[in-house]
Amino acid sequence: MPTESDILNIERDHWRFKEIVKGNIRDNLKEFISNGSILGRRGKDKVSINIPQIDTPRFRYGKKNSGGVGQGEGEPGDSLGGEPGEGEGGGKAGQAPGEHELEVDIKIHELAEILGEELQLPRIEPKGRKNIASTKERYNSIRSTGPHSLRHFKRTYREALRRQVTVGNYNPDNPIVVPIRDDMRFRSWKEEKQPETNAVIIYMMDVSGSMGDEQKEIVRIESFWIDTWLRSQYEGLETRYIIHDAVAREVDRETFFHTRESGGTMISSAYKLASDIISNEYPASDWNIYPFHFSDGDNWSLDDTDVCMALLREHILPHSNIFCYGQVVSAYGSGQFIKDLREHFSKNDQVVLSEIPGRDAIMQSIKDFLGTGK
Amino acid sequence: MGLPEPLAQYRDHIRDLSLEQGLDFFETVFVLVDYKRMCEVASFEGFPKRYPHWRFGMEFERNYKLHGYGLAKIYELVVNNDPCYAYLLEGNSDMEQKMVMAHVYGHCDFFKNNYYFARTNRKMIDTTANHGVRIRRYMDQYGIDLVEQFVDSCLSIDNLIDPFAPAARPENRIDEPLAEEEHDPRERQTVPRLKVDKSYMENWINPPEYIAEQRKIKEEKQQGRVRFPEQPERDIMGFLMEHAPLERWQRHILGMLREEALYFTPQRQTKIMNEGWASYWHSKMMTSGLADAGEIVDFAETHSATMATAPGQTNPYKIGLELFRDIEERWDKGQFGEEWNACDDFRQRSNWNRHLGMGREKIFEVRKLHNDVTFIDEFLTPAMIERLDLYNYRFDPKRGQWIIDSRDPDKVRERLLFQLTNSGQPVVVVEDANYRNRGELLLAHRTDQTGLDKTYAKRTLQNVLALWQRPVHIRTVDHRGKTVVWSHDGENFGAEKS
């Protein structure tokens, strides 16, 4: 039985499990850990997050047997609209493929909270026009008066039922519930004042020949999480995307993540374009500006690197909250660029550098970037 | 540790109500816990002093996080033991606590009276605590990693037991470690000997003539004259315990885990019935006076949430509850037997009422004698399949989606029974422990054309190999329905060339 002591017996097992997931002990289990981080797939307005699971192998039926019995509405041929599986309340279906990865659906704004909590990210202190507040109406409360178009049926019904039960004229054998005027409930809004702050993220990515699919996937995952976090911090967040090899161009989100170019690398081209975008469209007095650059660290020439440093120092840094540089490891990159940045800006806490050797390092890298609270 | 007021008062009241209704249970101890503690106990599957293992930590991580994210909540937990232990969650409303207590008494009655639970260990809380002590001691002695890894291997086959021989021989198979020196496990393996309590008795109990005789039998076996095992053995855990060349501590752990697996088997075999029965009683008691007028609406809301269904799932609470109610109604009205079955006039059937009043008696009988398979087989009528909105689903590769396949009652029933049979897991037996006359182990998957998942088979065989310590094989069918034998020799895994 649980005793008065506050120390839980489970803590030893919990600790050991976490150590296994981190890969510190029981190396042989490592390959069976499903998705050791909370990064998951993205749906329309929901995201699946994974909680790490290690499954114990047992003999089980093969794929041919996939399928099962479900319960609910629908005609033969209708889609179930997702993966069947064991949910709360205990389904028996669980023979769907991929079920050993535990996924839960979560709304994106909740996700930002979880991320913030997991990584212990500080709230961002925005700059800009702090004193100007905008008001916003949110339908999040209930009143007893209102127009019929806003009637809340369930609440109304509940009130009526409650009243009838209390006064004793509810008959379970003939359960007719008639709401009277006092039972009516309506949706209502509250006004919320919000300081108006604007932010823009400028993503720059090296798409030269040396950046492979895996490197781009890392950038995709990482930028999604950065997006999620910054969106939770700023009302109006804009994003711009720049890709570059030897020349830079601005692209839409889709292209950003799916382009593969070849050829040389001139990082300065991207910095030049970014600095143009900033000075033409985003006055620093009104905007919180976040340039992010991802590359494998291979630049064309030392001369170009010098141009980059100058652009950063004179045009980008003075306007930005922080400048983040993430370096992914590729088979071809020399990884020199981060060293150059370190050399030039090691004393400047506006410049955040992070190396991302693989997917496992994404979380740490996000923490590097956003942990500054700027 | 007593319950605070008013919970103690509710408990006494609900206990009286339950007895009045004819429920019969072991004394039930309720414990009020906070959420963290609830997650802990739930992760240990109800046993607070379980042996140390990472998977309990994994469950805890999951339970606790899901709660933290507001995605799931554990309301209640009840342990089949004498006395029964049940955990209540601190901070639940009075209405919820009443509902949970009524539900718990339903479970306790089921544990005590259902035939499939009859031989479960009712002192399991003590037993698991003892297992905990033993395994901790082995960890001290042989190292955590080594012991944990062995436990992992055993867990991999903990579904390979004989589910219909609950507790048939488990105790006498567990070989309590003796203080004396161990025999060389290899030697013990080569020739079976009688058990010796005191080592100086060895030569009297196992005289040379006896050993010679045993050796001869063994040789005959090896020459294929005697098949071993003579009958295919379903209890693979038990078989390996007796015949695999294990160290004494290893055999002991395998035995303990087998005992735990057998203990949990009836819970898997009766999930629908058990939850249905408990829901039947919480619903009955709450709506006949237990919930007061101010609570009834909230009760209805909570109750309907537990009965909710989602696409691609069945809800055992819902199916079980509805079936028990249907049985009660049918036996009250006499809607069973030859005459009823022969009648195909819709109006006559709808108005059929012989005023027998046998419903209550019948459901008590059903809860005593059935398990999920027989329960569904006998009482899930086509009318109920329709009323419960049951359907078959399958994956449609063309659309890349899961779709509803059919609502044909026969197909739904067949599929549901398949899912429930052996808890939805393949039946595997030991067929030959001297396969190819090389002391290799051949397992056989008894199948009706549904094969095994190859990746899982590989990893499971690897664990069987760790126990048997010689190459292992399993016969099953491949995705084309052709018989194959997959082999694992420690280095390579693949289909055996015939």
Side-chain angles (χ1 to χ4, degrees), chain A residues 5 9 16 26 55 57 77, chain B residues 37 40 145 148 156 404 456:
Chain A
S5 124
N9 290 325
R16 196 157 169 88
R26 296 292 310 278
D55 73 339
Chain B
R37 197 66 83 173
E40 176 186 34
D145 282 9
E148 192 180 71
S156 192
I404 296 178
Y456 278 80

Side-chain angles (χ1 to χ4, degrees), chain B residues 83-309:
Chain B
C84 271
Y85 274 87
Y87 296 87
L88 299 174
L89 183 59
E90 214 172 72
N92 272 351
S93 70
D94 285 3
M95 182 283 294
E96 288 169 317
Q97 303 289 27
K98 286 182 193 170
M99 174 176 153
V100 167
M101 287 189 205
H103 191 87
V104 162
Y105 278 113
H107 278 311
C108 295
D109 169 81
F110 196 89
F111 289 149
K112 186 172 171 188
N113 292 287
N114 181 270
Y115 171 76
Y116 294 89
F117 282 90
R119 304 186 68 181
T120 50
N121 181 349
R122 309 290 190 180
K123 293 290 171 204
M124 199 58 184
I125 290 189
D126 299 341
T127 304
T128 52
N130 288 339
H131 291 175
V133 170
R134 289 288 189 198
I135 292 181
R136 264 183 206 101
R137 194 174 300 161
Y138 288 138
M139 284 181 166
D140 290 345
Q141 211 170 339
Y142 300 102
I144 294 174
D145 282 9
L146 188 68
V147 173
E148 192 180 71
Q149 199 154 335
F150 185 76
V151 170
D152 286 0
S153 295
C154 297
L155 289 175
S156 192
I157 56 163
D158 74 355
N159 58 340
L160 306 180
I161 50 177
D162 188 348
F164 290 105
R169 303 175 288 177
E171 283 81 11
N172 58 22
R173 278 199 179 187
I174 290 189
D175 190 7
E176 285 291 323
L178 302 169
E180 63 173 282
E181 213 176 303
E182 270 196 28
H183 299 292
D184 174 18
R186 291 268 164 208
E187 171 64 12
R188 197 180 49 212
Q189 166 65 13
T190 49
V191 181
R193 290 161 189 249
L194 297 175
K195 194 173 163 184
V196 183
D197 283 338
K198 302 276 183 282
S199 58
Y200 58 82
M201 292 293 285
E202 171 75 30
N203 288 339
W204 277 268
I205 292 177
N206 289 313
E209 306 90 81
Y210 178 79
I211 299 283
E213 195 185 321
Q214 292 297 317
R215 187 163 287 140
K216 202 168 152 227
I217 293 173
K218 186 150 178 125
E219 274 164 15
E220 281 178 0
K221 276 180 191 168
Q222 277 165 354
Q223 284 156 15
R225 264 178 273 167
V226 183
R227 214 185 150 74
F228 182 64
E230 285 168 36
Q231 299 292 324
E233 176 65 68
R234 180 104 186 250
D235 182 6
I236 297 182
M237 271 190 124
F239 183 87
L240 289 175
M241 229 173 93
E242 281 185 349
H243 302 290
L246 299 170
E247 304 278 336
R248 189 171 286 232
W249 65 269
Q250 291 175 319
R251 286 212 290 154
H252 190 205
I253 288 179
L254 186 54
M256 290 189 284
L257 296 182
R258 177 172 169 275
E259 195 185 349
E260 295 193 6
L262 282 169
Y263 167 84
F264 286 112
T265 302
Q267 311 207 0
R268 279 207 301 275
Q269 291 170 323
T270 59
K271 176 97 177 155
I272 294 177
M273 286 186 77
N274 206 340
E275 293 302 352
W277 184 249
S279 301
Y280 176 91
W281 289 106
H282 83 228
S283 168
K284 173 135 272 169
M285 287 189 234
M286 289 297 274
T287 52
S288 45
L290 179 55
D292 56 48
E295 289 173 337
I296 200 78
V297 177
D298 292 328
F299 164 71
E301 199 162 8
T302 311
H303 176 73
S304 58
T306 61
M307 296 295 144
T309 56

